[in-house]
Amino acid sequence: MTVIGAGDIAAETDRHRPELVEVVRAAYLTHDAGQSANPHSSFLRFPHQDRSRVISLPAYLGGEFEVAGNKWIASFPDNTRHGIPRASATLILNDCVTGYPFACMESSIVSASRTAASAVLGAQTLLGARRARRVGIVGTGLIAHHVWRFLRDLDWEIGAFRLFDLDPAATGRLGAAMAKDTQAEIVAAGAVEEAFADCDLVVLTTVAGEPHLHDPRLLAHNPVVLHLSLRDLSPDMILAAQNFTDDVDHAVRERTSLHLTEERTGNRDFIDGTLAGLLRGRLRRDHGRPAVFSPFGLGVLDLAVGKWVHDRVVAAGRGRREDGFFAGVEV
């Protein structure tokens, strides 16, 4: 067993974001080819803390990856009141021949990196280029910071940003971080609508548990919306757009906006397909309509990024080896 902490993981992800996007692309295509097993996530909820949860994401990813494992990720929004991050996570990687775990990794960085890489890949695919005249960001916490770093490190051409968060201090922190690396105009929006207006790319990274955006007129200019937090948009807004996700069966559950829309309509006809379908050319975006990408976040992506990080850390002689971890096993 090799134990890999946040410092070693960040050292790899921070230096190689363009490569991570390609790792995520390969994982999506491997999953699309049927070379994976990705059971539904399990949600552990607490009767006395209705905003908190711990999610288990078991998966197997074949092809060039050939790894199994499980991410155990906690989301406790009230943590931020105490000065600690909302999310914490551990990733276990298992050998596919013996079943034995061979790595235990801090995974909040893996999780945020695969989420941001997936988002930026979806944006590029739906926009057709690494370019946006104006980008709106709603929710300016950890995931928004990671999305910004991927946009920056993949050399996106962006003219301006509109940032909105219910916490003005969080907006200020993201804006200050962005200003160090871009000459683009950065404006703190006074209302969420301003983060949509005249933006051709909108990124939703909130902790919303139910829809808070209801007016389809926000989409009248046909933007691409990265609906990473999954529960921001009302069924009216979902029905006004072309909709893509990472895996339909996974995304239409757990009271996501797509799930609520299915309950209203009685079908899934409003979902046009998956990102892998777009990547393979089976699907096309209609540029005369808004496009919403709502990725549920597949465990296979955590495995792909986690295995990539593990291999680089071990090759560099880092991480902590625990040779006596398993009883009765000699290494």
Side-chain angles (χ1 to χ4, degrees):
M1 173 77 80
T2 300
V3 178
I4 304 176
D8 283 332
I9 294 168
E12 295 301 331
T13 58
D14 288 354
R15 289 199 296 263
H16 302 286
R17 290 191 178 95
E19 188 172 345
L20 282 172
V21 172
E22 296 310 308
V23 170
V24 166
R25 181 197 299 270
Y28 272 134
L29 296 178
T30 301
H31 179 65
D32 183 67
Q35 298 176 295
S36 66
N38 206 110
H40 282 316
S41 308
S42 296
F43 285 70
L44 175 63
R45 302 185 189 277
F46 302 86
H48 61 293
Q49 293 176 273
D50 58 0
R51 298 178 67 228
S52 300
R53 66 194 182 197
V54 189
I55 311 172
S56 174
L57 290 85
Y60 158 75
L61 184 62
E64 66 187 81
F65 300 96
E66 196 56 28
V67 65
N70 185 63
K71 180 175 73 172
W72 182 242
I73 181 165
S75 175
F76 281 57
D78 289 344
N79 282 357
T80 56
R81 299 179 184 175
H82 307 290
I84 59 177
R86 171 185 62 85
S88 60
T90 301
L91 177 66
I92 301 293
L93 300 180
N94 293 73
D95 181 88
C96 291
V97 175
T98 67
Y100 272 85
F102 62 85
C104 176
M105 307 173 64
E106 195 283 335
S107 195
S108 67
I109 297 171
V110 169
S111 185
S113 295
R114 64 85 152 145
T115 298
S118 166
V120 171
L121 178 61
Q124 178 181 333
T125 304
L126 290 166
L127 287 169
R130 293 179 179 175
R131 182 171 57 253
R133 188 170 47 82
R134 183 173 288 118
V135 175
I137 300 178
V138 179
T140 56
L142 175 69
I143 299 300
H145 280 260
H146 277 269
V147 171
W148 154 242
R149 291 168 192 148
F150 271 85
L151 293 171
R152 177 196 67 194
D153 291 355
L154 271 77
D155 298 323
W156 273 65
E157 298 176 19
I158 299 171
F161 291 89
R162 298 289 181 268
L163 312 181
F164 177 80
D165 197 290
L166 294 176
D167 178 4
T171 301
R173 286 191 293 271
L174 178 59
M178 294 169 64
K180 296 176 182 178
D181 295 308
T182 181
Q183 298 299 313
E185 178 188 55
I186 302 170
V187 174
V192 67
E193 291 80 7
E194 296 173 28
F196 279 82
D198 209 23
C199 292
D200 40 1
L201 178 64
V202 180
V203 186
L204 304 178
T205 61
T206 75
V207 294
E210 59 185 30
H212 57 100
L213 298 168
H214 300 274
D215 188 353
R217 289 177 294 182
L218 292 174
L219 307 176
H221 59 296
N222 300 328
V224 169
V225 178
L226 304 178
H227 189 199
L228 307 186
S229 32
L230 292 171
R231 296 171 177 84
D232 301 87
L233 304 179
S234 71
D236 288 335
M237 295 191 73
I238 293 293
L239 292 171
Q242 250 192 318
N243 289 281
F244 302 95
T245 185
D246 46 7
D247 184 294
V248 176
D249 286 338
H250 283 77
V252 188
R253 61 192 296 263
E254 293 293 335
R255 309 297 292 169
T256 64
S257 295
L258 297 180
H259 188 192
L260 297 178
T261 306
E262 180 193 44
E263 289 185 337
R264 175 187 288 191
T265 63
N267 60 62
R268 298 178 178 181
D269 295 345
F270 58 90
I271 300 176
D272 292 78
T274 65
L275 177 56
L278 290 163
L279 293 173
R280 291 196 184 278
R282 296 195 303 265
L283 305 170
R284 292 286 188 271
R285 181 200 168 188
D286 179 354
H287 288 268
R289 298 180 62 194
V292 175
F293 177 45
S294 302
F296 193 75
L298 300 177
V300 293
L301 300 185
D302 296 286
L303 294 184
V305 172
K307 178 68 161 48
W308 179 89
V309 169
H310 166 272
D311 291 351
R312 296 183 68 91
V313 168
V314 170
R318 302 196 306 274
R320 188 173 75 251
R321 180 80 175 179
E322 299 287 350
D323 290 333
F325 189 85
F326 296 104
V329 177
E330 294 184 5
V331 180

Short mmCIF file of all heavy atoms in Angstrom, two decimals, residues 137 139-141 145 162-178 186-189:
data_model
loop_
_atom_site.label_atom_id
_atom_site.label_comp_id
_atom_site.label_asym_id
_atom_site.label_seq_id
_atom_site.Cartn_x
_atom_site.Cartn_y
_atom_site.Cartn_z
N ILE A 137 -19.39 33.15 -13.86
CA ILE A 137 -19.18 32.09 -12.86
C ILE A 137 -20.10 32.35 -11.69
O ILE A 137 -20.04 33.42 -11.06
CB ILE A 137 -17.72 32.04 -12.39
CG1 ILE A 137 -16.78 31.77 -13.58
CG2 ILE A 137 -17.54 30.96 -11.33
CD1 ILE A 137 -15.31 31.76 -13.21
N GLY A 139 -21.08 30.94 -8.07
CA GLY A 139 -20.49 30.08 -7.04
C GLY A 139 -18.98 30.14 -7.19
O GLY A 139 -18.43 29.61 -8.16
N THR A 140 -18.29 30.79 -6.26
CA THR A 140 -16.87 31.10 -6.46
C THR A 140 -15.98 30.40 -5.44
O THR A 140 -14.99 30.95 -4.98
CB THR A 140 -16.66 32.63 -6.41
OG1 THR A 140 -17.17 33.13 -5.16
CG2 THR A 140 -17.36 33.31 -7.57
N GLY A 141 -16.34 29.16 -5.10
CA GLY A 141 -15.57 28.39 -4.15
C GLY A 141 -14.48 27.56 -4.80
O GLY A 141 -13.95 27.91 -5.87
N HIS A 145 -12.35 27.87 -8.51
CA HIS A 145 -10.91 28.14 -8.58
C HIS A 145 -10.22 27.13 -9.49
O HIS A 145 -9.34 27.50 -10.29
CB HIS A 145 -10.29 28.10 -7.18
CG HIS A 145 -10.50 29.34 -6.37
ND1 HIS A 145 -9.54 30.33 -6.23
CD2 HIS A 145 -11.58 29.77 -5.66
CE1 HIS A 145 -10.00 31.30 -5.47
NE2 HIS A 145 -11.24 30.99 -5.10
N ARG A 162 -17.59 37.61 -15.32
CA ARG A 162 -18.60 38.11 -14.39
C ARG A 162 -18.74 37.09 -13.28
O ARG A 162 -19.10 35.93 -13.54
CB ARG A 162 -19.94 38.32 -15.10
CG ARG A 162 -19.90 39.35 -16.23
CD ARG A 162 -19.74 40.76 -15.67
NE ARG A 162 -19.74 41.77 -16.73
CZ ARG A 162 -18.64 42.23 -17.32
NH1 ARG A 162 -17.46 41.75 -16.97
NH2 ARG A 162 -18.71 43.14 -18.26
N LEU A 163 -18.46 37.48 -12.04
CA LEU A 163 -18.45 36.55 -10.91
C LEU A 163 -19.59 36.86 -9.96
O LEU A 163 -19.82 38.03 -9.61
CB LEU A 163 -17.13 36.65 -10.13
CG LEU A 163 -15.82 36.63 -10.94
CD1 LEU A 163 -14.63 36.71 -10.00
CD2 LEU A 163 -15.75 35.38 -11.81
N PHE A 164 -20.29 35.81 -9.51
CA PHE A 164 -21.36 36.01 -8.53
C PHE A 164 -21.32 34.91 -7.48
O PHE A 164 -21.19 33.73 -7.80
CB PHE A 164 -22.74 36.01 -9.18
CG PHE A 164 -23.85 36.15 -8.17
CD1 PHE A 164 -24.18 37.39 -7.65
CD2 PHE A 164 -24.53 35.03 -7.70
CE1 PHE A 164 -25.17 37.52 -6.68
CE2 PHE A 164 -25.53 35.15 -6.74
CZ PHE A 164 -25.85 36.40 -6.23
N ASP A 165 -21.46 35.32 -6.23
CA ASP A 165 -21.59 34.40 -5.11
C ASP A 165 -22.41 35.10 -4.03
O ASP A 165 -22.36 36.33 -3.91
CB ASP A 165 -20.21 34.01 -4.56
CG ASP A 165 -20.26 32.77 -3.68
OD1 ASP A 165 -20.80 32.85 -2.56
OD2 ASP A 165 -19.74 31.72 -4.12
N LEU A 166 -23.16 34.33 -3.27
CA LEU A 166 -23.91 34.91 -2.15
C LEU A 166 -22.97 35.48 -1.09
O LEU A 166 -23.37 36.33 -0.29
CB LEU A 166 -24.83 33.85 -1.53
CG LEU A 166 -25.97 33.36 -2.42
CD1 LEU A 166 -26.74 32.23 -1.73
CD2 LEU A 166 -26.91 34.50 -2.79
N ASP A 167 -21.73 35.01 -1.09
CA ASP A 167 -20.71 35.51 -0.17
C ASP A 167 -19.76 36.43 -0.94
O ASP A 167 -18.91 35.96 -1.71
CB ASP A 167 -19.94 34.34 0.43
CG ASP A 167 -18.83 34.78 1.36
OD1 ASP A 167 -18.68 36.00 1.61
OD2 ASP A 167 -18.08 33.90 1.85
N PRO A 168 -19.89 37.75 -0.79
CA PRO A 168 -19.02 38.68 -1.53
C PRO A 168 -17.54 38.44 -1.29
O PRO A 168 -16.72 38.68 -2.18
CB PRO A 168 -19.46 40.05 -1.03
CG PRO A 168 -20.86 39.85 -0.51
CD PRO A 168 -20.88 38.47 0.05
N ALA A 169 -17.19 37.96 -0.09
CA ALA A 169 -15.78 37.71 0.20
C ALA A 169 -15.23 36.60 -0.69
O ALA A 169 -14.08 36.65 -1.14
CB ALA A 169 -15.60 37.35 1.67
N ALA A 170 -16.06 35.57 -0.95
CA ALA A 170 -15.63 34.48 -1.82
C ALA A 170 -15.43 34.99 -3.24
O ALA A 170 -14.47 34.61 -3.92
CB ALA A 170 -16.66 33.36 -1.80
N THR A 171 -16.32 35.87 -3.70
CA THR A 171 -16.15 36.48 -5.02
C THR A 171 -14.85 37.27 -5.09
O THR A 171 -14.10 37.18 -6.07
CB THR A 171 -17.34 37.41 -5.32
OG1 THR A 171 -18.55 36.66 -5.29
CG2 THR A 171 -17.18 38.06 -6.69
N GLY A 172 -14.56 38.00 -4.03
CA GLY A 172 -13.33 38.79 -4.00
C GLY A 172 -12.09 37.92 -4.05
O GLY A 172 -11.11 38.27 -4.72
N ARG A 173 -12.11 36.78 -3.35
CA ARG A 173 -10.94 35.90 -3.35
C ARG A 173 -10.68 35.32 -4.74
O ARG A 173 -9.54 35.27 -5.20
CB ARG A 173 -11.13 34.77 -2.33
CG ARG A 173 -10.98 35.22 -0.88
CD ARG A 173 -10.91 34.05 0.06
NE ARG A 173 -12.17 33.32 0.13
CZ ARG A 173 -13.17 33.60 0.97
NH1 ARG A 173 -13.05 34.62 1.81
NH2 ARG A 173 -14.26 32.88 1.00
N LEU A 174 -11.75 34.87 -5.41
CA LEU A 174 -11.56 34.33 -6.76
C LEU A 174 -11.10 35.43 -7.71
O LEU A 174 -10.18 35.23 -8.51
CB LEU A 174 -12.85 33.68 -7.27
CG LEU A 174 -12.78 33.13 -8.70
CD1 LEU A 174 -11.68 32.08 -8.83
CD2 LEU A 174 -14.13 32.56 -9.13
N GLY A 175 -11.72 36.58 -7.63
CA GLY A 175 -11.33 37.69 -8.50
C GLY A 175 -9.88 38.08 -8.32
O GLY A 175 -9.15 38.33 -9.30
N ALA A 176 -9.43 38.12 -7.07
CA ALA A 176 -8.04 38.49 -6.80
C ALA A 176 -7.08 37.44 -7.34
O ALA A 176 -6.02 37.77 -7.89
CB ALA A 176 -7.84 38.67 -5.29
N ALA A 177 -7.44 36.16 -7.19
CA ALA A 177 -6.59 35.09 -7.71
C ALA A 177 -6.50 35.15 -9.23
O ALA A 177 -5.43 34.98 -9.81
CB ALA A 177 -7.13 33.73 -7.27
N MET A 178 -7.63 35.43 -9.89
CA MET A 178 -7.65 35.50 -11.34
C MET A 178 -6.85 36.69 -11.85
O MET A 178 -6.15 36.61 -12.86
CB MET A 178 -9.10 35.57 -11.83
CG MET A 178 -9.90 34.32 -11.56
SD MET A 178 -11.67 34.56 -11.85
CE MET A 178 -11.67 34.89 -13.60
N ILE A 186 -12.57 41.74 -14.94
CA ILE A 186 -13.20 40.91 -13.92
C ILE A 186 -14.16 41.78 -13.13
O ILE A 186 -13.75 42.76 -12.51
CB ILE A 186 -12.16 40.29 -12.97
CG1 ILE A 186 -11.14 39.45 -13.76
CG2 ILE A 186 -12.84 39.43 -11.91
CD1 ILE A 186 -9.96 39.01 -12.94
N VAL A 187 -15.44 41.42 -13.17
CA VAL A 187 -16.47 42.21 -12.50
C VAL A 187 -17.21 41.33 -11.50
O VAL A 187 -17.63 40.22 -11.83
CB VAL A 187 -17.47 42.79 -13.52
CG1 VAL A 187 -18.62 43.50 -12.81
CG2 VAL A 187 -16.75 43.75 -14.46
N ALA A 188 -17.37 41.84 -10.27
CA ALA A 188 -18.20 41.16 -9.28
C ALA A 188 -19.65 41.55 -9.54
O ALA A 188 -20.04 42.71 -9.41
CB ALA A 188 -17.79 41.58 -7.87
N ALA A 189 -20.45 40.58 -9.96
CA ALA A 189 -21.85 40.83 -10.32
C ALA A 189 -22.68 41.08 -9.06
O ALA A 189 -22.49 40.42 -8.04
CB ALA A 189 -22.41 39.66 -11.10
#
